[in-house]
Amino acid sequence: MRLGIVSGFVGLAVLGWIVTERTASHPMTPLAAELASKHLLYGEGHGGALELVTAEPAKMGTWFHGRLGFPVHLPSVARRPERLVGGRISSVADSPAAYALYDRSGQSLSLFVTRRVPFARRGWTERHVGGAEMYFASLRGVALVWWEEKQVDRLYAAVSGGDEEALVEFALLCYQGEQSRPAGAALPVRLAARPLAAPGSPRRRSRRTRAS
């Protein structure tokens, strides 16, 4: 019953955001709207929507595995400003997802892990960060970034209402699977952000040719 009520609120929030933003010059994608809405619902509620409260990544990962049927490896945040608060089972694009909530100096940071989402790249901005291919968006002060772990068909998304550079640090920590830099260290040099080419554009076709 509680899950149904929460899902209903998420659905209304996503619908409202999509209707509002469709009139903007750069309308959001449904994936961005869903992630931002669930971050606000779960992450800004001070942990009230969590199903397990724990500061131990290994315990949280085991709990996810038992309920989702696939391993979820959360990053070690020892000596980091982020602190794991807990998590719950959620969904992304109608697929079951792990949701973990972190706190960074009083700022909520959400991490979603689910299966890869078809057409997820549309409407996002691609950047290469520290060797990782990541996709960015920003909605009304909420910063979003996602990336894929293609070998195991997983999509990871990190969302925060705080500083984007802090979000990128955390995303790289997750991507690399280990603590790669101390808090406050400089971020790696990034390539210039570029919008994704439309499907079937010459650039996309040339990329496929080089990859083949």
Side-chain angles (χ1 to χ4, degrees):
M1 180 65 178
R2 179 184 176 187
L3 181 58
I5 293 173
V6 170
S7 299
F9 278 125
V10 170
L12 289 173
V14 172
L15 178 61
W17 241 342
I18 290 175
V19 169
T20 300
E21 294 292 331
R22 273 183 175 171
T23 60
S25 58
H26 300 286
M28 73 172 68
T29 67
L31 176 60
E34 181 179 5
L35 292 171
S37 296
K38 287 181 176 177
H39 164 73
L40 293 174
L41 182 65
Y42 302 149
E44 302 300 333
H46 305 289
L50 302 180
E51 295 174 320
L52 176 63
V53 176
T54 179
E56 301 176 27
K59 180 178 180 180
M60 190 80 257
T62 300
W63 188 86
F64 282 139
H65 194 177
R67 286 155 180 79
L68 294 171
F70 59 82
V72 176
H73 302 292
L74 300 180
S76 170
V77 290
R79 303 187 303 278
R80 293 280 308 173
E82 297 89 5
R83 178 181 63 86
L84 177 63
V85 179
R88 63 170 290 128
I89 302 302
S90 183
S91 63
V92 173
D94 295 326
S95 294
Y99 171 84
L101 174 64
Y102 292 80
D103 177 270
R104 180 183 172 113
S105 303
Q107 183 70 55
S108 297
L109 193 157
S110 296
L111 177 66
F112 298 84
V113 185
T114 188
R115 70 181 185 184
R116 292 167 67 186
V117 177
F119 313 113
R121 294 177 177 82
R122 293 180 180 176
W124 294 69
T125 297
E126 179 184 357
R127 298 177 188 169
H128 286 198
V129 186
E133 186 177 280
M134 295 187 174
Y135 300 87
F136 291 77
S138 178
L139 308 174
R140 298 185 182 182
V142 177
L144 306 96
V145 56
W146 67 264
W147 63 98
E148 294 177 338
E149 189 178 0
K150 296 179 181 179
Q151 296 87 342
V152 292
D153 199 39
R154 294 283 176 269
L155 181 146
Y156 290 75
V159 188
S160 174
D163 179 66
E164 185 185 80
E165 287 195 353
L167 185 66
V168 173
E169 279 191 42
F170 179 77
L172 281 173
L173 180 69
C174 298
Y175 177 83
Q176 294 165 351
E178 59 185 12
Q179 186 174 338
S180 58
R181 71 178 58 75
L187 291 172
V189 175
R190 294 188 287 186
L191 297 180
R194 55 188 176 88
L196 297 183
S201 70
R203 185 173 69 186
R204 288 181 67 112
R205 286 198 295 269
S206 65
R207 288 178 67 183
R208 291 196 187 99
T209 301
R210 288 195 301 269
S212 60

